[in-house]
Amino acid sequence: MFKNAKALAALCLLPLTLLLGTFAAAEEQNGNQQKVLRVSAIPDEAPTELLRKFQPLGSYLEQQLGMKVQFFPVTDYAAVVEGLAADKVDLAWLGGFTFVQARLKTGNAIPLVQREKDRQFTSKFITADPAVTSLQDLRGKSFVFGSISSTSGSLMPRYFMDKEGIKPENFFSRVAYSGAHDATAAWVQAGKADAGVLNAAVWDKLVASGKVDTDKVRVLVTTPPYYDYNWTVRGGLDPALAAKIKAAFLNLDPSNPEHKAILDLQAADRFIETAPENYQSIEDAARAVGLLK
């Protein structure tokens, strides 16, 4: 199922309309009884990285569910929300904000599980400018967010800045969106922006892998914690299948070497149950800064 990674990665170049058509083709193959679990994820990292992280998890889900699992990478956050709303995606890795968007659009998207750390998630403001020691020092400088629909790369940093009286479009000389957390770090390191913000987990991974030079780029501020990522299913999914999916995640045991390898790729110690009400504060923050009307 996962051997042809290049072909899957190529899907990332397709526009939303073609991707929804691809989802639909998989749906037709399901027939009356679902035979394929269609999975997608917000593109908060490079497509090749998303595929690398998902492959062992996909194989595990196939074993646990007794059905084929097909992963569809997409070009932007909106495509995942649209896929869930159109019943073309069964299971999706969402940020807190994209979950709120999906829930509002579909009325019944169901968050199943989250990583334990997603109850206390943070974002990190970074800079390569040695003269900058606080957010206020960034006045008149250029700034980069991730995707506008990112919880940790846009919404919550914007919300916390707003509470300090910082309106990004008025405060910075230029505001840009890199599209992904790893791209944000690369922009700041390359001098394409004076500062930026990304999620703490990706920052830690980039530092650990040597993909960011901490002699050049450093953390300026870490935000207060908030709820973030989860695995969500479409509301119309067979409840028995949704229960099996939830159980599969909850049964991942870090003392099992095979399971630990999967958890490590997901940057998780373990998965725990979650619920829609956990994301009310995300919805409230989005409305407060005008990202939801």
Side-chain angles (χ1 to χ4, degrees):
M1 188 64 244
F2 304 105
K3 290 180 180 178
N4 198 348
K6 289 184 178 179
L8 285 174
L11 286 172
C12 296
L13 302 177
L14 296 176
L16 174 59
T17 51
L18 288 181
L19 280 165
L20 290 179
T22 306
F23 291 142
E27 182 178 42
E28 289 177 7
Q29 293 174 13
N30 283 359
N32 294 328
Q33 184 176 1
Q34 182 149 342
K35 299 176 184 178
V36 177
L37 185 74
R38 300 159 301 177
V39 184
S40 193
I42 55 171
D44 57 349
E45 294 184 83
T48 52
E49 178 64 6
L50 292 178
L51 286 167
R52 184 184 74 86
K53 287 165 52 176
F54 183 76
Q55 286 174 357
L57 174 60
S59 296
Y60 167 77
L61 289 174
E62 286 188 339
Q63 295 167 4
Q64 296 296 306
L65 304 176
M67 65 191 303
K68 189 177 292 186
V69 173
Q70 194 165 0
F71 184 73
F72 295 93
V74 294
T75 53
D76 57 44
Y77 285 50
V80 183
V81 173
E82 292 296 331
L84 283 168
D87 288 344
K88 307 304 183 187
V89 173
D90 303 309
L91 172 68
W93 174 245
L94 301 178
F97 187 27
T98 37
F99 166 73
V100 167
Q101 291 172 317
R103 183 82 172 178
L104 291 174
K105 193 171 186 67
T106 66
N108 59 3
I110 303 168
L112 296 182
V113 295
Q114 62 184 176
R115 299 169 301 187
E116 191 167 25
K117 69 181 180 183
D118 289 318
R119 296 182 298 183
Q120 295 280 310
F121 209 79
T122 60
S123 301
K124 293 186 180 294
F125 289 85
I126 60 172
T127 184
D129 187 339
V132 171
T133 61
S134 71
L135 288 180
Q136 293 297 330
D137 290 340
L138 292 172
R139 183 183 294 274
K141 296 184 180 293
S142 58
F143 191 86
V144 58
F145 291 103
S147 165
I148 195 168
S149 293
S150 171
T151 310
S152 52
S154 174
L155 168 59
M156 295 312 291
R158 184 179 284 271
Y159 174 71
F160 292 125
M161 283 192 285
D162 186 72
K163 293 181 75 171
E164 292 192 24
I166 296 174
K167 306 289 186 184
E169 283 71 23
N170 299 328
F171 185 82
F172 301 114
S173 63
R174 179 174 61 89
V175 172
Y177 292 89
S178 71
H181 301 292
D182 48 2
T184 293
W187 279 35
V188 174
Q189 181 163 299
K192 291 178 65 176
D194 295 312
V197 67
L198 71 163
N199 91 41
V202 173
W203 169 261
D204 291 343
K205 184 172 75 171
L206 293 172
V207 170
S209 64
K211 292 182 179 178
V212 64
D213 184 350
T214 52
D215 289 333
K216 295 180 179 178
V217 186
R218 59 189 168 84
V219 173
L220 180 62
V221 178
T222 299
T223 68
Y226 51 86
Y227 271 90
D228 203 349
Y229 294 92
N230 66 58
W231 282 101
T232 286
V233 293
R234 60 182 176 88
L237 191 68
D238 178 4
L241 177 54
K244 286 183 179 179
I245 295 169
K246 178 188 282 191
F249 278 101
L250 296 178
N251 289 336
L252 284 167
D253 181 357
S255 67
N256 177 321
E258 182 181 336
H259 290 188
K260 188 173 189 311
I262 294 170
L263 289 167
D264 286 348
L265 282 172
Q266 300 298 310
D269 294 323
R270 65 185 179 115
F271 283 95
I272 59 174
E273 293 188 57
T274 193
E277 54 266 27
N278 290 337
Y279 299 91
Q280 184 60 50
S281 60
I282 300 296
E283 181 178 342
D284 292 344
R287 294 191 187 281
V289 297
L291 294 182
L292 276 181
K293 304 299 183 185

Coordinates of all heavy atoms in Angstrom, one line a residue, residues 87-132:
D87 N -17.3 14.0 2.7 CA -17.2 12.6 3.0 C -16.3 11.9 2.1 O -16.5 10.7 1.8 CB -18.6 11.9 2.9 CG -19.5 12.3 4.1 OD1 -19.0 12.8 5.1 OD2 -20.8 12.1 3.9
K88 N -15.2 12.6 1.7 CA -14.2 11.9 0.9 C -13.0 11.5 1.7 O -12.1 10.8 1.2 CB -13.7 12.9 -0.2 CG -14.8 13.5 -1.1 CD -15.7 12.4 -1.7 CE -16.7 13.1 -2.6 NZ -17.7 12.1 -3.2
V89 N -12.9 12.0 2.9 CA -11.8 11.6 3.9 C -12.5 11.0 5.1 O -13.5 11.5 5.6 CB -11.0 12.8 4.3 CG1 -10.0 12.4 5.4 CG2 -10.3 13.4 3.1
D90 N -12.0 9.9 5.5 CA -12.6 9.2 6.7 C -11.9 9.6 8.0 O -12.6 9.7 9.0 CB -12.5 7.7 6.5 CG -13.1 7.2 5.3 OD1 -14.3 7.5 5.0 OD2 -12.5 6.4 4.5
L91 N -10.6 9.7 7.9 CA -9.8 10.0 9.1 C -8.7 11.0 8.8 O -8.1 10.9 7.7 CB -9.1 8.7 9.6 CG -8.0 8.8 10.7 CD1 -8.7 9.2 12.0 CD2 -7.3 7.5 10.8
A92 N -8.6 12.0 9.6 CA -7.7 13.1 9.3 C -6.9 13.6 10.6 O -7.5 13.7 11.7 CB -8.4 14.3 8.7
W93 N -5.6 13.9 10.3 CA -4.8 14.5 11.4 C -5.0 16.0 11.2 O -4.7 16.6 10.2 CB -3.3 14.1 11.1 CG -2.3 14.8 12.0 CD1 -1.3 15.7 11.6 CD2 -2.2 14.6 13.4 NE1 -0.6 16.0 12.7 CE2 -1.1 15.4 13.8 CE3 -2.8 13.9 14.4 CZ2 -0.6 15.5 15.1 CZ3 -2.4 13.9 15.7 CH2 -1.3 14.7 16.1
L94 N -5.6 16.6 12.3 CA -5.9 18.0 12.2 C -5.3 18.8 13.4 O -5.0 18.3 14.4 CB -7.5 18.2 12.4 CG -8.4 17.5 11.3 CD1 -9.8 17.8 11.7 CD2 -8.0 18.0 9.9
G95 N -5.1 20.1 13.1 CA -4.7 21.0 14.2 C -6.0 21.4 14.9 O -7.1 21.2 14.4
G96 N -5.8 22.1 16.1 CA -7.0 22.5 16.8 C -7.9 23.4 16.0 O -9.1 23.2 16.0
F97 N -7.3 24.3 15.2 CA -8.1 25.3 14.4 C -8.8 24.6 13.3 O -10.0 24.8 13.0 CB -7.2 26.4 14.0 CG -8.0 27.5 13.3 CD1 -9.3 27.8 13.6 CD2 -7.3 28.4 12.4 CE1 -10.0 28.9 12.9 CE2 -8.0 29.4 11.7 CZ -9.3 29.7 12.0
T98 N -8.1 23.7 12.6 CA -8.7 23.0 11.4 C -9.8 22.1 11.9 O -10.8 21.8 11.3 CB -7.7 22.2 10.6 OG1 -6.7 21.7 11.4 CG2 -7.1 23.1 9.5
F99 N -9.6 21.5 13.2 CA -10.7 20.7 13.7 C -12.0 21.6 13.9 O -13.1 21.2 13.6 CB -10.4 20.1 15.1 CG -11.6 19.6 15.8 CD1 -12.3 18.5 15.3 CD2 -12.1 20.3 16.8 CE1 -13.4 18.0 15.9 CE2 -13.3 19.8 17.5 CZ -14.0 18.7 17.0
V100 N -11.8 22.8 14.5 CA -12.9 23.7 14.7 C -13.5 24.0 13.4 O -14.8 24.0 13.2 CB -12.4 25.0 15.4 CG1 -13.5 26.1 15.3 CG2 -12.0 24.7 16.9
Q101 N -12.7 24.3 12.3 CA -13.3 24.6 11.0 C -14.1 23.4 10.5 O -15.2 23.6 9.9 CB -12.2 25.0 10.1 CG -11.5 26.3 10.4 CD -10.3 26.6 9.5 OE1 -9.4 25.7 9.3 NE2 -10.1 27.8 9.0
A102 N -13.5 22.2 10.6 CA -14.2 21.0 10.2 C -15.5 20.8 10.9 O -16.5 20.4 10.3 CB -13.3 19.8 10.3
R103 N -15.5 21.0 12.2 CA -16.6 20.8 13.0 C -17.7 21.8 12.7 O -18.9 21.4 12.5 CB -16.3 20.9 14.5 CG -17.4 20.7 15.5 CD -17.6 19.2 15.8 NE -18.6 19.1 16.9 CZ -19.0 17.9 17.3 NH1 -18.5 16.8 16.8 NH2 -19.8 17.8 18.3
L104 N -17.4 23.0 12.4 CA -18.4 24.0 12.1 C -18.9 23.8 10.7 O -20.1 24.0 10.4 CB -17.8 25.4 12.1 CG -17.4 25.9 13.5 CD1 -16.7 27.3 13.4 CD2 -18.7 26.1 14.4
K105 N -18.0 23.3 9.8 CA -18.5 23.0 8.4 C -19.3 21.8 8.2 O -20.3 21.8 7.5 CB -17.2 22.9 7.5 CG -17.6 23.0 6.0 CD -16.3 23.1 5.2 CE -16.6 23.3 3.7 NZ -17.3 24.6 3.4
T106 N -19.0 20.7 9.0 CA -19.7 19.5 8.9 C -20.8 19.3 9.9 O -21.8 18.6 9.7 CB -18.7 18.3 9.0 OG1 -18.2 18.3 10.4 CG2 -17.5 18.4 8.0
G107 N -20.6 19.9 11.0 CA -21.6 19.8 12.1 C -21.4 18.5 12.9 O -22.0 18.4 14.0
N108 N -20.6 17.6 12.5 CA -20.5 16.3 13.2 C -19.2 15.6 13.1 O -19.0 14.4 13.4 CB -21.6 15.3 12.6 CG -21.4 15.1 11.2 OD1 -20.5 15.5 10.5 ND2 -22.3 14.3 10.6
A109 N -18.1 16.3 12.7 CA -16.8 15.7 12.7 C -16.4 15.3 14.2 O -16.8 16.1 15.1 CB -15.7 16.7 12.2
I110 N -15.8 14.2 14.4 CA -15.6 13.6 15.7 C -14.1 13.5 16.0 O -13.4 12.7 15.4 CB -16.3 12.2 15.9 CG1 -17.8 12.3 15.5 CG2 -16.1 11.7 17.3 CD1 -18.4 11.0 15.3
P111 N -13.6 14.2 17.0 CA -12.2 14.0 17.4 C -12.1 12.8 18.3 O -12.8 12.6 19.2 CB -11.9 15.3 18.2 CG -13.2 15.6 18.8 CD -14.3 15.2 17.9
L112 N -11.2 11.9 17.9 CA -11.1 10.6 18.6 C -10.0 10.6 19.6 O -10.2 10.3 20.8 CB -10.8 9.4 17.6 CG -11.8 9.1 16.6 CD1 -11.3 7.9 15.7 CD2 -13.2 8.8 17.2
V113 N -8.8 10.9 19.2 CA -7.6 10.9 20.1 C -6.7 12.1 19.8 O -6.7 12.7 18.8 CB -6.8 9.6 19.9 CG1 -7.7 8.4 20.4 CG2 -6.3 9.4 18.5
Q114 N -5.9 12.3 20.8 CA -4.8 13.3 20.7 C -3.6 12.8 21.4 O -3.7 11.8 22.2 CB -5.2 14.7 21.3 CG -5.5 14.6 22.7 CD -6.0 15.9 23.3 OE1 -6.3 16.0 24.5 NE2 -6.1 17.0 22.5
R115 N -2.4 13.3 21.1 CA -1.2 13.0 21.9 C -1.4 13.6 23.3 O -2.1 14.6 23.4 CB 0.0 13.5 21.2 CG 0.3 12.9 19.8 CD 1.4 13.6 19.1 NE 1.1 15.0 18.9 CZ 1.8 15.9 18.2 NH1 2.8 15.4 17.6 NH2 1.5 17.2 18.1
E116 N -0.8 13.0 24.2 CA -0.9 13.5 25.6 C -0.4 15.0 25.6 O -1.1 15.8 26.3 CB -0.1 12.7 26.6 CG -0.4 13.0 28.0 CD 0.2 11.9 28.9 OE1 1.1 11.2 28.6 OE2 -0.4 11.8 30.1
K117 N 0.6 15.3 24.9 CA 1.2 16.6 24.9 C 0.3 17.7 24.3 O 0.5 18.9 24.4 CB 2.6 16.7 24.3 CG 2.6 16.5 22.8 CD 4.1 16.5 22.4 CE 4.2 16.3 20.9 NZ 5.6 16.2 20.5
D118 N -0.7 17.2 23.5 CA -1.6 18.2 22.8 C -2.5 18.9 23.7 O -3.2 19.8 23.3 CB -2.3 17.5 21.6 CG -1.4 17.1 20.5 OD1 -0.6 17.9 20.1 OD2 -1.6 16.0 20.0
R119 N -2.6 18.5 25.0 CA -3.4 19.2 26.0 C -2.6 20.4 26.4 O -3.2 21.3 27.0 CB -3.7 18.3 27.2 CG -4.6 17.1 26.9 CD -4.9 16.3 28.1 NE -3.7 15.7 28.7 CZ -3.7 14.9 29.8 NH1 -4.9 14.7 30.4 NH2 -2.6 14.4 30.3
Q120 N -1.3 20.4 26.3 CA -0.5 21.5 26.7 C 0.5 21.9 25.6 O 1.7 21.9 25.8 CB 0.3 21.1 28.0 CG -0.6 20.8 29.2 CD -1.1 22.1 29.9 OE1 -0.2 23.0 30.2 NE2 -2.4 22.3 30.1
F121 N 0.0 22.3 24.5 CA 0.9 22.5 23.3 C 1.3 24.0 23.3 O 0.7 24.9 23.9 CB 0.1 22.2 22.0 CG 1.0 21.8 20.9 CD1 1.5 20.5 20.8 CD2 1.4 22.7 19.9 CE1 2.4 20.1 19.8 CE2 2.3 22.3 18.9 CZ 2.7 21.0 18.9
T122 N 2.5 24.3 22.7 CA 3.0 25.6 22.7 C 3.6 25.9 21.3 O 3.9 25.0 20.5 CB 4.1 25.9 23.8 OG1 5.2 25.0 23.5 CG2 3.6 25.7 25.2
S123 N 3.8 27.2 21.1 CA 4.5 27.7 19.9 C 5.7 28.5 20.3 O 5.8 29.0 21.4 CB 3.6 28.7 19.1 OG 2.4 28.1 18.7
K124 N 6.7 28.5 19.4 CA 7.9 29.2 19.7 C 8.2 30.3 18.7 O 8.2 30.1 17.5 CB 9.1 28.3 19.8 CG 9.0 27.3 20.9 CD 10.3 26.4 21.1 CE 10.2 25.4 22.2 NZ 10.1 26.1 23.5
F125 N 8.4 31.5 19.2 CA 8.8 32.7 18.3 C 10.3 32.6 18.2 O 11.0 32.4 19.2 CB 8.4 34.0 19.0 CG 6.9 34.3 19.0 CD1 6.1 33.8 20.0 CD2 6.4 35.1 18.0 CE1 4.7 34.1 20.0 CE2 5.0 35.4 17.9 CZ 4.2 34.9 19.0
I126 N 10.8 32.6 17.0 CA 12.2 32.5 16.7 C 12.8 33.7 16.0 O 12.0 34.4 15.2 CB 12.5 31.2 16.0 CG1 11.8 31.2 14.6 CG2 12.2 30.0 16.8 CD1 12.3 30.0 13.7
T127 N 14.0 34.0 16.1 CA 14.7 35.0 15.4 C 16.2 34.7 15.2 O 16.7 33.9 16.0 CB 14.5 36.4 16.1 OG1 15.1 37.4 15.3 CG2 15.2 36.4 17.5
A128 N 16.8 35.4 14.2 CA 18.2 35.3 14.0 C 18.9 36.6 14.3 O 20.1 36.8 14.1 CB 18.5 34.8 12.6
D129 N 18.1 37.6 14.7 CA 18.6 38.9 15.0 C 19.1 39.0 16.4 O 18.3 39.0 17.4 CB 17.5 39.9 14.7 CG 18.0 41.4 14.8 OD1 19.1 41.6 15.4 OD2 17.3 42.3 14.3
P130 N 20.4 39.2 16.7 CA 20.9 39.2 18.0 C 20.5 40.4 18.8 O 20.5 40.4 20.1 CB 22.4 39.2 17.8 CG 22.7 39.7 16.5 CD 21.5 39.3 15.7
A131 N 20.0 41.5 18.2 CA 19.6 42.7 18.9 C 18.1 42.5 19.4 O 17.7 43.3 20.2 CB 19.6 43.9 17.9
V132 N 17.4 41.5 19.0 CA 16.0 41.3 19.4 C 16.0 40.5 20.7 O 16.5 39.4 20.7 CB 15.2 40.6 18.3 CG1 13.8 40.2 18.8 CG2 15.1 41.5 17.1

